[in-house]
Amino acid sequence: LKASLGRLPEAPAAGSMSWRVTKQIAGDGFVIKCVLFESRPGVWVSSNLYQPAEPQASMPGFVISHSHHTSKTHGELQDMGMTWARMGCLVLVPDHMGHGERRQHPFSTERDYPTSFRVSRQDYYFRYDLALQAHLAGESYVGQLVWDLSRGVDLLLAQPGIDSKCIALLGAVAGGGDPAAVAAALDRRIQVAVPFNFGGDRKSTRLNSSHIPL
């Protein structure tokens, strides 16, 4: 499985995580820290770190892998971050490569393209270009996502009070579940994985001839 991802960076030395807090937002029972962490030399990952307003001595940690159509700012991800932080957990939601604050294309508004297009899907569409670039470099796009998620675990483990035996990784709908599954399979520090993806045995799929119910 690891070999299928192409070339990966060298694993950093333990305790060598580089990160910085750029902004902090206080909420009702929680605090959001806008964090940049260095995934590989010169490559920084934008993320939101949710923590309890009063950190506890021992806290479980969650990393959430967002979907291909929204970044870390998606409402349901913020709900999870705030809710679990109020319950005494640390929750990290990083931007995937090419998404949100890590966008690699100039198409942010409808005025940036000569014909009509869906602004909300441009990060998703641009994954095709990023995947080609990664393969030309001897890597893979999913490998880059997996590496960033694993480095997100490094960031959680660098936080005071984190319980290193209670680390969970969630994949949020389409595009977030597959890298979450691969990262959890390769990183033994992740004890729980929920690689949720769109689809399944539901009433709607029974009415669609292209789906075969389980």
Side-chain angles (χ1 to χ4, degrees), residues 101-120:
E101 293 183 88
R102 303 181 70 194
R103 179 172 290 137
Q104 303 290 309
H105 61 81
F107 309 125
S108 301
T109 71
E110 292 184 355
R111 295 189 300 272
D112 299 325
Y113 200 73
T115 59
S116 62
F117 70 102
R118 297 174 65 183
V119 176
S120 63

Side-chain angles (χ1 to χ4, degrees), residues 34-211:
C34 300
V35 177
L36 291 173
F37 65 89
E38 193 172 29
S39 176
R40 61 176 78 188
V43 177
W44 292 83
V45 178
S46 49
S47 62
N48 288 341
L49 177 62
Y50 299 79
Q51 67 179 45
E54 298 182 6
Q56 303 177 11
S58 180
M59 297 176 287
F62 291 84
V63 178
I64 301 179
S65 171
H66 68 71
S67 68
H68 56 42
H69 54 275
T70 54
S71 63
K72 66 181 184 302
T73 58
H74 194 57
E76 64 188 31
L77 307 186
Q78 296 188 55
D79 287 341
M80 287 188 280
M82 292 184 290
T83 299
W84 290 332
R86 290 189 185 106
M87 297 173 66
C89 305
L90 295 174
V91 184
L92 180 71
V93 189
D95 278 328
H96 284 319
M97 174 69 79
H99 288 260
E101 293 183 88
R102 303 181 70 194
R103 179 172 290 137
Q104 303 290 309
H105 61 81
F107 309 125
S108 301
T109 71
E110 292 184 355
R111 295 189 300 272
D112 299 325
Y113 200 73
T115 59
S116 62
F117 70 102
R118 297 174 65 183
V119 176
S120 63
R121 292 279 175 163
Q122 291 312 299
D123 293 351
Y124 170 31
Y125 297 153
F126 205 70
R127 282 185 169 211
Y128 177 82
D129 300 80
L130 293 175
L132 291 177
Q133 294 171 7
H135 281 291
L136 287 173
E139 301 185 13
S140 67
Y141 184 64
V142 68
Q144 293 175 346
L145 303 186
V146 166
W147 181 259
D148 288 347
L149 291 172
S150 186
R151 293 294 279 153
V153 174
D154 288 334
L155 177 63
L156 280 183
L157 294 177
Q159 305 307 307
I162 187 68
D163 185 346
S164 62
K165 296 182 179 180
C166 292
I167 302 295
L169 175 59
L170 285 75
V173 201
D178 38 347
V182 177
L186 297 178
D187 194 330
R188 298 301 182 91
R189 301 170 301 175
I190 300 169
Q191 284 79 34
V192 177
V194 186
F196 175 72
N197 223 327
F198 182 76
D201 185 20
R202 301 171 299 158
K203 278 189 175 181
S204 60
T205 60
R206 297 180 186 276
L207 303 177
N208 188 335
S209 60
S210 65
H211 290 78

